[in-house]
Amino acid sequence: MKAYTKFVAIGAIALGLGIGMAACSSGPKEIVIGGVGPVTGEAATFGVSTKNAYEMAIAEWNANKGINGKQLKLVFADDKGDPTEGATVYTKLIQQDKVVAIVGTVMSKVSLAGAPICQSSGIPMISPTSTNPKVTEVGDFIFRACFIDPFQGTVGAQFAFNDLGAKKAAALFDSGNDYAKGLSEFFKAKFEELGGAGSVVAFEGHASGTTDFKAQLTKILAAKPDVLYVSDYYQDVALIAKQARELGFKGPMVGGDGWDSPDLVKIGGAAVENGFFTNHYSAEDTRPIVQDFVKKYTAKYGAAPDALATLGYDAMTLMLDAIKRAGKTDGKSIRDALKAADLAVVSGQVKFDASRNPVKSAVIIEIKDGKQVYKTTVNP
Ligand code: PHE
């Protein structure tokens, strides 16, 4: 009887210890990071690449013992390319999943919905790809891993004027998209500085979600531009290119990073030839850090990384590096560590300016025989 009681007592202590240890290991042993991107909706290829890259970075850090002995857990949410949905998922990640930081999202118009939520909750956010200047202006918890559109629009205008020799330009953009509208405005300002007042002969917005651009294009072509600037995302760009060619436009088209999708050529076909766009990186870049990334991403996902994948990986790396240097997971400590970043990531060296934007170069890509061909790099 005595021996039995002793056995039960030991058993109970052992069980108690076991439960106690389990309780300790589940909570604080894990760091929860939010990831956001559009894996469905108007620009779904953007989200697929971004999600792949987030997952790859997290897996690598976990295989390398996580951060300060803690494993990392990624909670990914699809914003569907929609600002209302974006606000919902940012709130869910913060309130329900208790993330310590958010990496995302892709489209400026959706980041503009998520950023105020991060700012007021004191949760640091880094957008991999949102280039509209207003995104980081929301507040000091908001960062990005890419250049901004005043630079991108300037590079596009210089390329059109100097390299393509265009004297007259026209622009067509989604007027319900902060990124597209802003980028066309920056392009126009620089082109007119180079070509003189009136050198942008047509400047036309279209409604979001439309698939018929003939009314705007007819007006644009009547003004006889040498080049057509299209600052939309790839689906619209492909349809605009097709309709512009149908209406007889033979000149070059220029655009921004929103062109970067395998679907541009799939939808646009021959119409997007003689097309050029500014982007964040090229898979043809021979620097070892780029080629290593291209190799391991291609091995894992079966296609070379586009700019979305590269910037998604870089943004996640910047955030994890900041959490590691902070040594703590409260929002302010992570934010302060992020502000002090000076890190070589795949798309370049990242150091933030006072507005939490990195200063980075752009590349120009040409669509040639259905492929993206690297043309040149432009430094800020
Ligand atoms: N820059 C775009 C935006 O701000 C998003 C984007 C980045 C799209 C890179 C494609 C490639 O909305």
Side-chain angles (χ1 to χ4, degrees):
M1 206 45 193
K2 236 179 160 186
Y4 175 69
T5 315
K6 207 169 159 190
F7 180 73
V8 170
I10 291 168
I13 291 167
L15 189 70
L17 276 174
I19 290 170
M21 278 165 68
C24 284
S25 63
S26 64
K29 278 253 155 80
E30 207 173 57
I31 299 173
V32 187
I33 316 280
V36 189
V39 290
T40 54
E42 124 189 54
T45 71
F46 291 171
V48 172
S49 295
T50 307
K51 181 168 181 275
N52 285 347
Y54 293 165
E55 286 172 351
M56 190 167 147
I58 292 277
E60 286 175 3
W61 280 66
N62 276 338
N64 204 13
K65 301 204 177 65
I67 293 181
N68 304 329
K70 292 181 184 171
Q71 286 287 293
L72 308 169
K73 183 180 161 199
L74 173 71
V75 182
F76 182 85
D78 178 10
D79 65 43
K80 303 180 180 161
D82 174 55
T84 308
E85 189 64 27
T88 304
V89 301
Y90 270 76
T91 303
K92 176 205 155 270
L93 288 172
I94 295 171
Q95 291 183 357
Q96 202 172 309
D97 302 306
K98 310 269 183 242
V99 299
V100 302
I102 292 183
V103 182
T105 186
V106 169
M107 297 151 105
S108 292
K109 64 179 180 179
V110 188
S111 284
L112 281 167
I117 297 168
C118 286
Q119 181 66 28
S120 63
S121 316
I123 294 292
M125 155 178 164
I126 183 166
S127 164
T129 53
S130 292
T131 45
N132 186 277
K134 288 181 287 184
V135 173
T136 46
E137 286 166 14
V138 168
D140 61 348
F141 278 84
I142 318 300
F143 297 74
R144 76 179 100 220
C146 52
F147 54 61
I148 54 174
D149 288 332
F151 172 64
Q152 178 165 217
T154 294
V155 172
Q158 284 169 337
F159 179 76
F161 189 83
N162 296 329
D163 298 71
L164 298 176
K167 296 283 163 277
K168 292 190 288 176
L172 177 57
F173 53 89
D174 179 345
S175 42
N177 179 324
D178 302 88
Y179 154 77
K181 183 164 180 282
L183 184 53
S184 270
E185 284 165 356
F186 295 121
F187 169 86
K188 178 173 186 275
K190 186 67 193 181
F191 196 91
E192 286 184 338
E193 190 187 310
L194 295 166
S199 57
V200 174
V201 292
F203 193 73
E204 292 289 316
H206 67 76
S208 301
T210 186
T211 52
D212 183 352
F213 305 93
K214 294 241 167 75
Q216 285 87 349
L217 284 169
T218 304
K219 212 167 150 188
I220 284 171
L221 298 188
K224 304 217 178 307
D226 303 316
V227 64
L228 176 57
Y229 193 71
V230 186
S231 56
D232 287 351
Y233 296 137
Y234 61 90
Q235 286 208 22
D236 284 1
V237 174
L239 294 179
I240 287 169
K242 279 184 145 171
Q243 292 171 27
R245 299 303 184 208
E246 270 165 42
L247 290 172
F249 181 65
K250 295 203 171 55
M253 281 184 272
V254 177
D257 52 355
W259 285 35
D260 190 14
S261 170
D263 284 3
L264 177 77
V265 167
K266 275 188 209 151
I267 305 168
V272 294
E273 297 284 313
N274 202 12
F276 305 84
F277 68 102
T278 43
N279 207 359
H280 304 268
Y281 122 108
S282 160
E284 292 175 55
D285 189 326
T286 54
R287 284 177 301 133
I289 191 170
V290 178
Q291 285 312 312
D292 287 351
F293 177 67
V294 170
K295 212 167 130 192
K296 66 186 181 186
Y297 184 94
T298 309
K300 189 160 178 174
Y301 296 113
D306 53 17
L308 287 300
T310 301
L311 288 174
Y313 186 81
D314 286 353
M316 184 59 80
T317 304
L318 284 157
M319 188 59 90
L320 299 182
D321 172 72
I323 297 174
K324 185 176 167 193
R325 281 185 295 103
K328 298 185 227 160
T329 53
D330 66 282
K332 284 206 173 89
S333 303
I334 298 173
R335 177 203 61 190
D336 291 343
L338 205 44
K339 273 189 181 166
D342 188 359
L343 195 67
V345 289
V346 180
S347 57
Q349 186 75 24
V350 170
K351 230 176 154 165
F352 296 105
D353 66 13
S355 313
R356 298 161 306 285
N357 300 318
V359 178
K360 294 166 82 187
S361 50
V363 298
I364 293 173
I365 307 281
E366 177 175 5
I367 309 292
K368 212 175 166 102
D369 303 324
K371 296 208 174 55
Q372 288 195 11
V373 180
Y374 166 80
K375 276 196 81 72
T376 181
T377 299
V378 184
N379 294 316

